[in-house]
Amino acid sequence: AQSVTQLGSHVSVSEGALVLLRCNYSSSVPPYLFWYVQYPNQGLQLLLKYTTGATLVKGINGFEAEFKKSETSFHLTKPSAHMSDAAEYFCAVSEGFQKLVFGTGTRLLVSP
Amino acid sequence: KAGVTQTPRYLIKTRGQQVTLSCSPISGHRSVSWYQQTPGQGLQFLFEYFSETQRNKGNFPGRFSGRQFSNSRSEMNVSTLELGDSALYLCASSESGTGPGQPQHFGDGTRLSIL
């Protein structure tokens, strides 16, 4: 079965600083990987996805992630944090038909 | 296009009762999945429907059931409610659902509280 590990339940950065959220996966088959963001009292919004092809994936709101097979990682980055980026971020791997296995989430705190 | 719509947004029930939650997918989407989100267990997959057929099921007891209608709308039912069923229930839809890499689009969820 696939699984996802997100290191760090909370990450704090200053506005304008680099954002790095870590995600490692375990999969017996080539993985399909996703990053979602959740704002308070809302559902999940897709940031980006990796299926096949280019290993550097660009998403919305300036986020990007790099698929590294050798490290089984799919870390999410953003060069410069904005106050509006404060939210909870979930990494997920696809397992079978439309079943996502999620990590435990990382809450991003952005200070002025 | 309108997004995924879940109703109601909030629901309060007591132990032993049953509840039905509704999900309308994005127009044209035929696959609907349900997830439970709790502080303790995180996001967990309940089940997925495509063309009125359940194709995938998570590890939840039989008290949790669902169905999908011909217009792709889906309902989820929980019978004999327990305190531990208090959670945010999220519905997600995707287009054809024929491949594992298709992104899922989530609704804002139904927050169920059990007293």
Side-chain angles (χ1 to χ4, degrees):
Chain A
Q2 276 82 313
S3 66
V4 170
T5 301
Q6 291 184 244
L7 293 176
S9 58
H10 292 80
V11 169
S12 294
V13 300
S14 299
E15 194 172 20
L18 171 72
V19 175
L20 171 60
L21 304 182
R22 299 179 186 274
C23 172
N24 288 87
Y25 69 90
S26 172
S27 176
S28 57
V29 297
Y32 295 92
L33 297 161
F34 305 83
W35 274 100
Y36 283 88
V37 61
Q38 186 176 35
Y39 298 98
N41 298 316
Q42 293 187 23
L44 303 175
Q45 181 182 8
L46 179 68
L47 282 175
L48 48 80
K49 66 172 182 174
Y50 169 79
T51 52
T52 58
T55 56
L56 182 62
V57 181
K58 295 188 184 300
I60 63 171
N61 301 337
F63 284 94
E64 62 182 36
E66 186 171 10
F67 171 67
K68 292 186 176 181
K69 184 179 179 181
S70 61
E71 299 177 8
T72 60
S73 69
F74 190 56
H75 301 331
L76 181 71
T77 60
K78 181 174 180 177
S80 177
H82 192 273
M83 296 295 289
S84 61
D85 293 328
E88 188 150 23
Y89 292 78
F90 293 92
C91 182
V93 63
S94 181
E95 181 179 287
F97 286 113
Q98 305 312 99
K99 175 184 177 181
L100 292 175
V101 176
F102 286 91
T104 51
T106 297
R107 186 168 298 278
L108 177 64
L109 308 170
V110 183
S111 56
Chain B
K1 272 187 181 179
V4 177
T5 304
Q6 292 189 246
T7 56
R9 286 295 312 276
Y10 302 93
L11 206 49
I12 299 175
K13 292 286 186 180
T14 57
R15 281 182 299 172
Q17 288 187 309
Q18 75 167 12
V19 67
T20 299
L21 311 181
S22 180
C23 173
S24 293
I26 292 172
S27 178
H29 285 195
R30 296 170 62 192
S31 170
V32 174
S33 301
W34 289 89
Y35 294 84
Q36 181 196 65
Q37 185 177 24
T38 61
Q41 300 299 317
L43 282 154
Q44 294 186 286
F45 173 80
L46 282 155
F47 30 64
E48 185 256 354
Y49 287 86
F50 178 76
S51 292
E52 302 178 65
T53 300
Q54 185 182 90
R55 290 194 303 187
N56 211 341
K57 189 176 187 305
N59 295 323
F60 278 82
R63 299 186 298 107
F64 292 81
S65 62
R67 59 177 176 170
Q68 187 180 34
F69 302 95
S70 59
N71 61 358
S72 294
R73 190 178 70 85
S74 177
E75 288 182 346
M76 186 192 119
N77 184 275
V78 188
S79 63
T80 319
L81 287 165
E82 301 177 358
L83 292 177
D85 297 333
S86 293
L88 179 67
Y89 290 88
L90 293 165
C91 169
S93 74
S94 59
E95 291 189 18
S96 66
T98 56
Q102 292 196 6
Q104 295 183 39
H105 302 269
F106 285 79
D108 285 338
T110 294
R111 185 163 298 279
L112 175 64
S113 299
I114 311 300
L115 303 180

